[in-house]
Amino acid sequence: PETQKNAPAAKKYKVTLAGKSQDVEKARAVINNIMMYSHDELTHPGLVHEELEIEAWAWRYIIGTGGSEMKHIQNNFKVKVNIPREHSLNQQVLVVGENDAVYRAKAYIERLVWNAEHKTTGRDKVDNGDIWGDEEEEEPWMKQYMYKR
């Protein structure tokens, strides 16, 4: 059916399926899988998905500046990463692709989020004191290089 050009994204539309009842149920299952996981084995053979439980504050680290981190993940690992929106059926971060690629991308994203949680920069940085370590004893050859105040 024709849709409005500026209709809200969360607006639902009625879809009618016709055919044998078992085929209609199969089609309904495929459509629900595509809406929930962006793929189905029937339409996208060989693809798998992984749902990651990542809090909303960490999504910006997955997306990156101008989407750069997301592009990096999708191009390097050959996967599709879906960040949920308010009207999405699946409210988890979703990684879709081939099995090995999804596993590697998932590990990369989890490491990104872990680094974001545990980063120690700015005001929260804990200063461990002298970064050069303890001073050794002064030897005779060092005296010519020492500055006396």
Side-chain angles (χ1 to χ4, degrees):
E2 289 291 319
T3 58
Q4 297 175 357
K5 290 185 179 183
N6 53 359
K11 182 172 168 102
K12 295 183 177 184
Y13 294 95
K14 185 174 181 171
V15 176
T16 304
L17 301 174
K20 297 178 187 173
S21 62
Q22 65 185 19
D23 292 341
V24 168
E25 286 305 313
K26 192 174 188 181
R28 180 177 286 137
V30 169
I31 291 170
N32 285 336
N33 281 342
I34 290 173
M35 288 172 35
M36 189 74 169
Y37 306 116
S38 300
H39 77 99
D40 185 79
E41 186 62 34
L42 187 66
T43 59
H44 302 87
L47 293 187
V48 296
H49 69 273
E50 192 73 44
E51 295 179 74
L52 305 173
E53 290 187 34
I54 296 174
E55 296 179 36
W57 66 265
W59 294 349
R60 68 186 189 124
Y61 294 102
I62 298 170
I63 297 169
T65 305
S68 62
E69 194 63 44
M70 181 92 93
K71 289 176 194 168
H72 170 76
I73 295 168
Q74 292 182 147
N75 292 336
N76 283 7
F77 297 105
K78 306 293 187 244
V79 296
K80 182 154 176 43
V81 179
N82 293 325
I83 304 289
R85 296 181 181 245
E86 61 274 355
H87 62 272
S88 299
L89 288 179
N90 191 345
Q91 288 298 311
Q92 304 294 331
V93 174
L94 189 68
V95 181
V96 179
E98 293 182 5
N99 195 18
D100 184 48
V102 168
Y103 174 76
R104 292 180 328 164
K106 177 185 172 190
Y108 182 83
I109 291 170
E110 287 173 345
R111 188 170 56 245
L112 262 179
V113 173
W114 188 90
N115 287 341
E117 284 179 22
H118 297 89
K119 95 175 164 180
T120 55
T121 58
R123 294 182 180 178
D124 297 337
K125 183 177 182 180
V126 177
D127 192 6
N128 293 337
D130 189 9
I131 60 171
W132 300 105
D134 295 334
E135 290 194 20
E136 299 172 2
E137 61 184 70
E138 190 175 310
E139 296 178 21
W141 65 269
M142 294 177 176
K143 289 185 181 180
Q144 63 182 342
Y145 299 103
M146 299 298 284
Y147 178 72
K148 303 284 185 188
R149 290 188 184 182

